[in-house]
Each structure stands twice: as structure tokens, then as C-alpha cells.
Amino acid sequence: MVNKVILIGNVGRDPEVRYIAANTPTTTISLATTENYTDKQGAQQSRTEWHRVVLWNALAQLAEKHIRKGTQLYVEGRLATRSYTDKTGVQRSVTEVVAETVKLLGSHPQSTNE
Amino acid sequence: MINKVILVGNVGGDPDVRTLENNVKVATVSLATSERYTDSNKQKQERTTWHRVVLWRNLAEVVEKYVHKGSQLYIEGRISNRQYKDKDGNDRYAMEIVANDMKLLGKRDDNSGTTNHNTDVSPIGTVPPPSVDEMPADDLPF
């Protein structure tokens, strides 16, 4: 079975890394992908999707060091749905992209493409 | 920019196929992908993820004819976060995969098996099906 996501987009805000346990950093990045397409009338249209991309461990550390608002990223991962209880006590579910590979794209101050 | 999803999985319930006011067909398929992994305690685990896949026009026709509960499918598409209002009028978001390619995998069935239309067995919850407003305006290459 295959559950694969490939995204290239721009980060919406500086990631906040938190530590679940002593050596378990994690962060969730907001990534925007924009696509241009031609509609039925022949006009150019644009659509932007915002994705929640979850990074763990080494990837979260990479984000802490090198990912900021505006960074262009390549992300490879899988879709995962999790349930949580919101502040009014209602059960909710959210689907996120759990990253397995992250590459920094474009030019950035300390160019460290890993 | 790239927004791409590739899934191979099994269909959880008979697909929902509708024809919208403008005669466009749309199908919604619940697809399950399972994977085995080893957790941090070195235990083998299995996880199943349910995906809501939306197929339009020609793809919806294929779904209507050939896809049923248990079908194994290859899906290529993009992530779409659709906004809708729940029954209390709150804004909610549902993630869907809008397919631009689909392949039927596995053996072809001799008979189509039971045709009882089960309600969706996946734990995705009730999200209203796509309407004319949600229809993508892009030109499909077929």
C-alpha cells in the first residue's frame, strides 16, 4: 500500500519547536502550495492550499536551525489523521502531512542543503 | 509549486456517485492505506489511514462502473482543504484528495458481488459531498 505526499511550497510563519520528551523535538509547519490553472473560460486562475506539515526529531531540529517564514521547502511524507478534543470538549480530527524527507530549496543565508 | 498525493489502497465502502445540477458527475471514495512500522519500543505496529478521494467526470464514470467496496486502487491527485459549515453553522475544514488519475488494481471480479449500499465504514465522519461550487474549474486533460 502507498500513502505518499510530495509538496513544494513556502513556509507561512517561523516554526515553533517544542520538546515532547527530553530528546523528542517536534514542530508543525504551515506550508502553502500555489497552482496556476486555466479555467473553462480560458482565464488564468490561481489556487493556494495550506498544509500542516509535522516534523519530528532530526527534521524538527533542521527546522529550528534553518526554516523560517518564506523558506521554500520540498517535503515528502505521508497523510495521517489524528483526533483531539478542542477547548469546548468536542472531538475533532485533523489530517496532517507527516514529513519523512525535507529539503531546503532556493537560496538562503547559510546555504546548507541537506 | 507542487501539491501531489499518491495512494494505493482498498476501498472501504461502495462509492457515492452523484450527478450535479450541471450534469457533472462526481464520486467520493473512502480509501484505506495500511502500513507496518516498528515503534520506539521496537514493537511491530500497524496503522490504517482513511482518505476521502473525490473524482470528477470521466473518473467518476469509471468509479460508478467498476469500483466497489474492496476494490484496490491507485490514485494520483492533490490535497484540497474544503471549507464547509457544520449543522451548528460553524466553519469546518475537510481534507480531500482530488484525483487526476486512477488505476484499478488486482484481479477483475467476475461478478460484481453484493450491491447493498453500505454506509461509509470509514471513521471520517459526515462531511457534505461536493456541490457545484466545489467543482474544480481547471481544464482536465481528458
Side-chain angles (χ1 to χ4, degrees):
Chain A
M1 296 219 180
V2 178
N3 172 357
K4 189 166 204 61
V5 180
I6 297 173
L7 304 172
I8 291 182
N10 291 329
V11 175
R13 56 180 165 275
D14 288 353
E16 281 168 20
V17 178
R18 59 188 194 285
Y19 284 76
I20 301 273
N23 3 330
T24 313
T26 182
T27 184
T28 301
I29 285 181
S30 235
L31 194 79
T33 60
T34 303
E35 296 172 294
N36 298 320
Y37 63 97
T38 314
D39 69 17
K40 290 223 135 44
Q41 286 77 35
Q44 282 275 58
Q45 297 283 354
S46 177
R47 118 186 97 219
T48 296
E49 284 297 337
W50 285 94
H51 309 270
R52 289 176 57 91
V53 181
V54 182
L55 280 66
W56 292 94
N57 302 316
L59 292 180
Q61 287 174 333
L62 173 85
E64 197 166 35
K65 288 201 189 83
H66 301 297
I67 296 177
R68 299 288 176 267
K69 176 175 172 174
T71 303
Q72 193 180 49
L73 285 187
Y74 167 87
V75 173
E76 220 176 287
R78 59 181 161 79
L79 289 170
T81 302
R82 76 185 157 81
S83 297
Y84 67 99
T85 312
D86 73 13
K87 49 189 195 295
T88 64
V90 178
Q91 272 270 63
R92 293 289 175 99
S93 78
V94 62
T95 303
E96 298 163 325
V97 178
V98 178
E100 289 150 357
T101 301
V102 173
K103 305 270 184 218
L104 299 159
L105 302 178
S107 59
H108 40 94
Q110 305 97 344
S111 47
T112 42
N113 267 328
E114 9 198 356
Chain B
M1 299 214 177
I2 304 286
N3 170 357
K4 191 171 203 60
V5 180
I6 296 174
L7 303 172
V8 172
N10 292 328
V11 175
D14 285 344
D16 176 88
V17 184
R18 336 182 148 221
T19 304
L20 304 181
E21 310 158 359
N22 50 1
N23 270 341
V24 172
K25 216 162 237 184
V26 60
T28 307
V29 170
S30 230
L31 195 78
T33 59
S34 297
E35 51 209 358
R36 294 218 178 91
Y37 66 100
T38 313
D39 68 17
S40 39
N41 297 326
K42 308 242 191 309
Q43 296 296 312
K44 286 217 157 87
Q45 299 281 0
E46 180 157 339
R47 106 186 105 219
T48 296
T49 306
W50 287 95
H51 311 270
R52 185 194 317 277
V53 182
V54 179
L55 303 98
W56 294 91
R57 300 190 183 94
N58 295 14
L59 290 180
E61 303 268 3
V62 177
V63 168
E64 191 172 41
K65 287 199 187 86
Y66 300 111
V67 176
H68 49 80
K69 177 175 173 175
S71 294
Q72 192 180 49
L73 294 185
Y74 165 88
I75 296 282
E76 216 177 288
R78 62 177 164 80
I79 291 175
S80 172
N81 290 303
R82 187 154 67 85
Q83 192 175 8
Y84 69 99
K85 282 209 186 311
D86 69 12
K87 50 189 197 296
D88 305 319
N90 300 315
D91 271 338
R92 300 285 287 269
Y93 287 88
M95 184 195 279
E96 293 170 339
I97 310 307
V98 178
N100 51 48
D101 197 6
M102 177 186 77
K103 305 278 181 224
L104 294 154
L105 302 177
K107 291 200 180 97
R108 216 185 280 218
D109 280 337
D110 290 342
N111 56 1
S112 51
T114 54
T115 50
N116 53 322
H117 288 267
N118 304 329
T119 46
D120 194 331
V121 300
S122 73
I124 278 185
T126 40
V127 172
S131 65
V132 174
D133 303 325
E134 325 283 3
M135 197 176 79
D138 47 303
D139 245 359
L140 299 172
F142 43 72

